[in-house]
Each structure stands twice: as C-alpha cells, then as structure tokens.
Amino acid sequence: MLDKAAAILDCFIPGGEAFRLSELSVRSGLPKPTVHRLAADLVRLGWLERSGPHYRLGAKLFELGSLVPHRLDLREAALPFLQDLFEATRETVHLGVREGLEIVYLERIHGHEALRLPSRIGGSLPLSCTGVGKALLAFSGPELTEELLSQPLPSLTPHSITDPARLRMALEKTRVSGLAYEEQEAALGVSCIAAPVFDGGAAVAALSVAVPRDRFSPAQLAPAVRTAALGLSRVLRGGG
C-alpha cells in the first residue's frame, strides 16, 4: 500500500499544479477507487490538501521534508552504535525519533530470529506503546505527557498501557533508571528495552532492542543499550 501512496505523491511537484482524482489515476497508473481511498488517507495525514475536486501537496509534507537532512545525519551517526548493539545482543535493534505523539523509525536491524513486529523504517507507532516512544516521552517535558494524556491512550495489544496512572508511573521509572521497557504492548510475544539519545540537554532519539518474550533479560540487555545510547549522545554533542 505504501508504494501506491508513493505513486500518488510522485504525481506532484512542490508548488506545482493540483489534480483531480481522474488525473491522478492516469498519472499514477492506479484504479480510480484506489486513488480515491489513498488520497483521503493522505489528506488526513496532511500530506495532501483538497480544494473542491482538486488535490495538491500538503503543508505537512514540506515540514517533513525540512527534517530529512537532520534525520539522515542522525541515522548516519547512529549506524555504528546500532551495529555494535546488534553484535552485542544479536537481537532486533531500532532507532526512532518523535513526531507529534508518535515514534517514527529511522532504522531497524533485524535479529537472527524473525519477529512479527509492527515497526518498519519510515513507519510510526504510538509513543505510549513502544519502548523507544516511552524513552523519548519520559525526557521530553511534562507538557508532552499532558497532551498525550488529554486523550484516550491507544491500544495495539491487550497489554498496551491505557491507564494514565500506569503510564505516569512507567515514565517516572524511566526518568530514574534512564531505561524504558515495553512488555508486549506493540506486538504479542515481544518485549523491548530502550534508552534515550541526547543532543545537548534535549532527547532527540531513542535506541532499543526487541526480544522474544520468553528470553527477555533486562539485566543482560541494559548495559549494551545504555552504552550505545550514551555513545551516540556523546557523538551528537561533539565529544566523539
């Protein structure tokens, strides 16, 4: 489905003309019903804007584009630490950044055991349902937490935290230990441990290791995750 959405976005150029659904169908090579459904989704995401029967690129897509150079630099700086973390654990590792109330994955290195994970590079998940999301949420200031708690908490599995008091407690534990945990909250059978990455005094990303629940050992994984996050933070601060 992502490739079809990309085919629609490729029909546009910044500041270029707007198109009707029939024109997008011809340009993208997709059936009109498919274009109609995906265009509606892209409008909701803010990637397209609709004016009457016409569609054009949305403002949010330009905002995301302005973040690309920074994100590419962050991913490049993080890769050696992600690879070290993978070598130390042989498990699936992630790099994520916050966008609104979601975590966006910039990189993922698969472990040797295939895990059914909802994470994918470029994809997003709710902050409160992921280790990387909770690591960033814990160190992003109380305003963000209050914004997130002002609405119902999302649930991806029966284990997702939907009780505000439980989430507050989990975030407080993360602030104390510097580590965030996710227990089958994004995918059944999978647990995760994550640590925030800092640039100056701000948490700008998080690293995590995802492990099958039956062999999740925080005590063994924590030193590797913490070391990778601290190393990347040092590089971003100009000390590496």
Side-chain angles (χ1 to χ4, degrees):
M1 194 60 68
L2 287 173
D3 56 341
K4 293 179 180 178
I8 294 174
L9 293 174
D10 284 344
C11 296
F12 299 90
I13 60 172
E17 62 182 304
F19 299 109
R20 293 174 177 266
L21 287 176
S22 57
E23 295 171 308
L24 289 174
S25 176
V26 172
R27 288 173 173 269
S28 65
L30 298 172
K32 190 173 180 179
T34 301
V35 173
H36 182 271
R37 184 177 69 254
L38 291 177
D41 290 338
L42 292 170
V43 168
R44 282 194 292 271
L45 289 169
W47 293 13
L48 288 183
E49 293 177 352
R50 182 179 180 182
S51 178
H54 292 90
Y55 294 80
R56 65 175 67 251
L57 286 181
K60 186 170 183 180
L61 198 60
F62 295 117
E63 295 171 8
L64 292 175
S66 68
L67 296 175
V68 168
H70 171 70
R71 289 185 174 180
L72 289 176
D73 291 344
L74 175 59
R75 178 183 174 277
E76 183 177 354
L79 274 175
F81 298 97
L82 292 172
Q83 291 163 350
D84 286 347
L85 185 55
F86 171 74
E87 290 298 327
T89 63
R90 314 305 289 182
E91 305 288 359
T92 300
V93 302
H94 294 100
L95 169 70
V97 297
R98 184 178 69 84
E99 184 178 296
L101 299 180
E102 294 184 317
I103 193 77
V104 176
Y105 291 94
L106 299 189
E107 187 57 80
R108 168 178 160 174
I109 300 177
H110 294 272
H112 287 179
E113 180 174 331
L115 288 178
R116 297 179 64 85
L117 294 171
S119 58
R120 56 177 177 75
I121 297 174
S124 60
L125 290 173
L127 287 174
S128 59
C129 295
T130 63
V132 283
K134 284 189 278 188
L136 279 169
L137 188 58
F139 292 95
S140 294
E143 297 83 5
L144 180 64
T145 299
E146 295 309 315
E147 180 184 356
L148 185 127
L149 293 177
S150 69
Q151 52 194 284
L153 293 173
S155 177
L156 298 182
T157 78
H159 300 279
S160 300
I161 297 177
T162 56
D163 177 12
R166 279 190 62 202
L167 182 60
R168 288 184 190 277
M169 184 178 299
L171 296 178
E172 183 56 35
K173 290 180 178 179
T174 295
R175 293 185 192 103
V176 172
S177 68
L179 295 168
Y181 298 90
E182 180 247 303
E183 300 277 358
Q184 304 187 85
E185 296 159 48
L188 294 176
V190 179
S191 294
C192 179
I193 182 171
V197 173
F198 294 90
D199 185 356
V204 296
L207 303 177
S208 73
V209 177
V211 181
R213 183 71 186 92
D214 58 6
R215 66 164 187 262
F216 185 54
S217 176
Q220 292 181 350
L221 296 170
V225 175
R226 196 191 303 273
T227 299
L230 288 173
L232 178 55
S233 297
R234 186 169 183 269
V235 167
L236 294 179
R237 287 167 171 160

